[in-house]
Amino acid sequence: CLLPRRHSLLSLHAASFHTQEMSKLGLGKNVDLHIMQLPVAYQKAKELVCKIWTTLQPLLTIHIGLASSSKVSIILEQCGKNKGYKEMDVCGFCPEGGCCLLDGPERIESTINMKTLWKNISVEGIDVIFSRDAGRYVCDYIYYTSLYYGNGRAAFIHVPPLSKLVTADFLGRILQIIILQMLKQHSHFSKQ
């Protein structure tokens, strides 16, 4: 996990290059960064997300997942969905009833306004996209769970796989810009 001094938590569950780059770059003096990779397994990821919220008690959690279908775009996800999980994870497991929480709300919105973030982020060399559908697989499942236990204080960013155009260094710098903007927005929201 990347944990800024009870300010935010960056939970990485895609590839280790995110971890390495964010460790190198950091998020500034006021942010203690802790790094955690979450498995692509519904149950284990849910347990770890619950543990993050109960043990670490961050003010904000930011998850980063790999969008293999996204060639050269970063996708800012606004909300997590509770139902529609029909695909098995790497362990061959599918959530009971196809949902995260049997009595949970249908959808949970992030307190981070991803649309505002999307409109204000300009990065050369890669598209930044706003989305309201994280995909009904482990990424969306993790996001919904984090939004639920964190009372909306979570964010999710889908990133493309590394390539000649999207290097680890390039992606790390873009994530740093986006996450710092999220932290500013969260700080402003928290003061209201």
Side-chain angles (χ1 to χ4, degrees):
C1 313
L2 303 179
L3 258 186
R5 194 176 318 264
R6 288 188 46 91
H7 191 193
S8 74
L9 164 68
L10 179 54
S11 172
L12 304 177
H13 59 275
S16 62
F17 69 84
H18 299 112
T19 311
Q20 295 163 359
E21 288 307 311
M22 290 308 300
S23 291
K24 281 191 245 172
L25 295 171
L27 294 172
K29 285 190 287 187
N30 297 329
V31 180
D32 288 338
L33 210 48
H34 299 265
I35 301 169
M36 172 187 279
Q37 263 188 302
L38 299 177
V40 185
Y42 294 109
Q43 285 302 103
K44 187 64 179 166
K46 186 177 193 174
E47 289 169 19
L48 290 170
V49 167
C50 292
K51 191 174 181 180
I52 288 167
W53 284 107
T54 57
T55 308
L56 302 173
Q57 301 176 348
L59 296 177
L60 178 66
T61 301
I62 303 168
H63 301 277
I64 299 173
L66 188 63
S68 55
S69 62
S70 173
K71 294 281 186 254
V72 190
S73 358
I74 289 178
I75 306 165
L76 305 176
E77 306 290 356
Q78 182 62 59
C79 58
K81 306 262 182 11
N82 190 23
K83 297 180 181 166
Y85 298 92
K86 297 174 183 155
E87 231 180 295
M88 285 190 233
D89 64 17
V90 295
C91 299
F93 176 80
C94 195
E96 181 185 347
C99 68
C100 295
L101 299 164
L102 294 173
D103 295 327
E106 184 63 36
R107 179 182 74 220
I108 304 174
E109 301 277 331
S110 174
T111 57
I112 299 294
N113 187 327
M114 296 295 208
K115 193 171 223 173
T116 298
L117 189 66
W118 164 68
K119 287 179 180 178
N120 294 320
I121 294 279
S122 174
V123 183
E124 195 171 317
I126 195 162
D127 291 329
V128 178
I129 298 168
F130 169 77
S131 168
R132 298 189 60 77
D133 188 352
R136 297 316 177 295
Y137 189 52
V138 179
C139 288
D140 202 359
Y141 188 86
I142 287 168
Y143 191 27
Y144 180 90
T145 303
S146 194
L147 288 165
Y148 181 84
Y149 289 103
N151 296 312
R153 295 171 299 135
F156 199 102
I157 305 168
H158 266 121
V159 298
L162 293 181
S163 66
K164 287 180 183 178
L165 295 173
V166 182
T167 65
D169 178 62
F170 176 71
L171 194 54
R173 284 185 282 117
I174 292 167
L175 286 172
Q176 182 187 42
I177 291 166
I178 291 170
I179 292 166
L180 287 171
Q181 288 301 310
M182 286 180 178
L183 292 174
K184 274 187 197 172
Q185 193 184 106
H186 181 71
S187 294
H188 177 72
F189 175 78
S190 297
K191 290 175 187 172
Q192 292 181 344

